[in-house]
Amino acid sequence: MHRIDDAQRRARLGRRHLLAPSVRAASVVTVADAVVALHATDAATVYLSACARLADPSVAAVERALYEDVSLVRLLSMRNTLFTVSTEVAPAVDASNARSVAADERRRLLKHLREDGQGLDDRWLGDTERDTVAALASLGRATGSELSAAVPALRTKITVFPGTRQETVQGVASRVIRVLAADGRIRRDRPRGSWTSSQFRWTASEPWPATDPDRARADVAGRWLRSYGPATEADLKWWTGWGTRQTRAALAATGAEEVLLDSGASGWVAPGDHAAEPPPEPWAALLPGLDPSAMGWADRGFHLPAAHRPALFDRAGNIGPTVWWNGEIVGGWAQRADGEPVWRLLSDVGREAAQLIEAEASRLSAWVGDARITPRFRTPLERELTA
């Protein structure tokens, strides 16, 4: 059995995630495909993750891919989380994850409608969805409040969790819109305000063509192995949110090959992908919270010292902005109110590393410009740096 040590895994990360300067991309789509999917729960993360990997970082380039070329799309998919993927990858992600997520979202909404007691049912929901899509087709694009003004049913209020401590009255608009988006019948368009805003407008869309789920899972698993391998079955199961049986079937369908990791665990690589990766030149990166390189594995031990976790994660387990040196997380960073990026090293990495980190901070500051970034999930170190 081939052995792939932690140093080799870090070398692969630098090259395959396009973080080493010599492999940074010219295209936003190339960036997205290199990491399979960009986390999009926090709107700014898509831009920060993409631009960290672009040879010529540009907000306009990311906006063009999202809203003009529509070569990147947002999908509610793995682990019921919002991701941004290329249109080449989207059908596989849709069939392997997003369809089941959409079904769960619909069941959840119908349950709330039944429990409310107003007689709202699947027929009412279907009529409301059709009216909403028709309104979007007429308007071109609209915010949630604009859709509510155009579709009276969206102004309906229901009681959720009746008879419990969580009982509350809510409008249905955001829930109906979420179901339509999960089904692919509408999609997020340009936000209100700047690129850091999560208050999106909506526009009509077409669902992705039906694809066999087993074949789609094999496609996603193969792409993930080429970007994140070697990795364990548990890593893939966690990243995708699949069950154990689905994960094992997907790995088998890819022809994945078993290797031995430094931890002593068995890992998996894409067929034939066990040759040594030439180490890239020294590199540094400032990556945002929930960046793919920090979120690609359940066990991050090969690139994240355990002692750094308390400072870099929030209470729910979300990782914040991180500083990287040669494939390892060595600190965290934040942006102060005046726009200055500031960081703290948690590992002793030497003068060369500090100089390259400084250069990356200057590069970040140059393309971010006047924008101000506050991570959606704030961590102890990020809060301390901005205090």
Side-chain angles (χ1 to χ4, degrees):
M1 185 186 301
H2 290 275
R3 184 187 183 96
I4 299 182
D5 63 22
D6 288 350
Q8 180 58 205
R9 295 180 75 184
R10 292 192 291 269
R12 286 174 173 236
L13 191 154
R15 287 186 176 276
R16 299 187 184 191
H17 287 213
L18 306 180
L19 289 167
S22 62
V23 294
R24 284 177 179 158
S27 160
V28 180
V29 172
T30 300
V31 168
D33 286 347
V35 293
V36 187
L38 297 165
H39 279 258
T41 304
D42 189 332
T45 295
V46 176
Y47 291 81
L48 292 163
S49 291
C51 288
R53 295 165 167 87
L54 287 173
D56 184 16
S58 163
V59 169
V62 181
E63 289 182 327
R64 185 164 55 250
L66 286 168
Y67 307 122
E68 296 175 22
D69 305 339
V70 196
S71 52
L72 293 182
V73 292
R74 295 181 177 91
L75 294 178
L76 191 63
S77 51
M78 285 77 72
R79 304 189 310 282
N80 201 21
T81 299
L82 193 64
F83 284 87
T84 294
V85 300
S86 73
T87 51
E88 179 182 344
V89 177
V93 170
D94 179 72
S96 66
N97 284 86
R99 290 301 85 235
S100 60
V101 169
D104 288 344
E105 290 291 329
R106 182 171 296 278
R107 281 193 294 270
R108 192 174 297 115
L109 175 54
L110 287 170
K111 181 175 182 290
H112 286 314
L113 294 179
R114 287 193 301 270
E115 292 175 345
D116 177 63
Q118 296 184 55
L120 306 179
D121 55 15
D122 54 354
R123 182 174 179 177
W124 177 90
L125 178 57
D127 290 342
T128 303
E129 288 176 310
R130 282 190 292 275
D131 291 345
T132 302
V133 173
L136 263 184
S138 174
L139 294 169
R141 59 177 60 87
T143 63
S145 59
E146 289 168 342
L147 282 172
S148 292
V151 182
L154 289 178
R155 299 196 289 273
T156 302
K157 294 186 180 296
I158 61 173
T159 300
V160 297
F161 306 115
T164 71
R165 291 183 180 180
Q166 291 77 37
E167 178 178 319
T168 185
V169 176
Q170 295 181 351
V172 300
S174 62
R175 292 180 177 273
V176 173
I177 289 170
R178 183 178 175 88
V179 167
L180 284 169
D183 274 339
R185 296 168 64 188
I186 66 175
R187 63 175 174 81
R188 291 164 179 79
D189 201 75
R190 290 184 182 274
R192 297 178 62 187
S194 78
W195 56 271
T196 64
S197 171
S198 295
Q199 296 183 6
F200 294 101
R201 297 177 176 89
W202 299 91
T203 191
S205 183
E206 290 292 330
W208 297 101
T211 302
D212 176 68
D214 291 337
R215 188 180 309 136
R217 282 189 286 270
D219 186 352
V220 171
R223 293 175 184 274
W224 182 84
L225 280 177
R226 289 189 289 274
S227 295
Y228 296 88
T232 66
E233 175 189 301
D235 290 328
L236 178 59
K237 180 177 182 290
W238 176 83
W239 188 85
T240 58
W242 298 336
T244 299
R245 183 178 300 177
Q246 292 173 322
T247 304
R248 289 176 179 172
L251 282 171
T254 67
E257 298 180 10
E258 191 173 6
V259 296
L260 185 63
L261 305 180
D262 265 4
S263 64
S266 292
W268 298 92
V269 295
D273 187 27
H274 38 65
E277 186 88 44
E281 71 278 19
W283 62 272
L286 271 62
L287 300 182
L290 302 182
D291 183 85
S293 295
M295 294 291 292
W297 302 265
D299 181 1
R300 304 174 176 92
F302 76 98
H303 68 57
L304 173 63
H308 297 354
R309 291 185 67 94
L312 298 175
F313 285 76
D314 72 3
R315 291 182 179 178
N318 299 300
I319 193 166
T322 48
V323 176
W324 293 67
W325 170 244
N326 286 345
E328 187 174 351
I329 296 175
V330 297
W333 67 276
Q335 185 191 38
R336 288 181 171 159
D338 62 1
E340 178 191 4
V342 59
W343 66 93
R344 178 177 299 164
L345 295 178
L346 302 175
S347 300
D348 183 2
V349 291
R351 180 178 300 178
E352 179 186 19
Q355 291 173 339
L356 287 179
I357 292 166
E358 175 73 44
E360 283 300 302
S362 297
R363 183 173 179 266
L364 171 69
S365 182
W367 72 261
V368 165
D370 294 333
R372 297 294 177 265
I373 302 157
T374 301
R376 182 168 179 174
F377 303 106
R378 305 196 67 187
T379 58
L381 180 55
E382 188 273 335
R383 288 181 181 277
E384 186 177 341
L385 289 173
T386 56

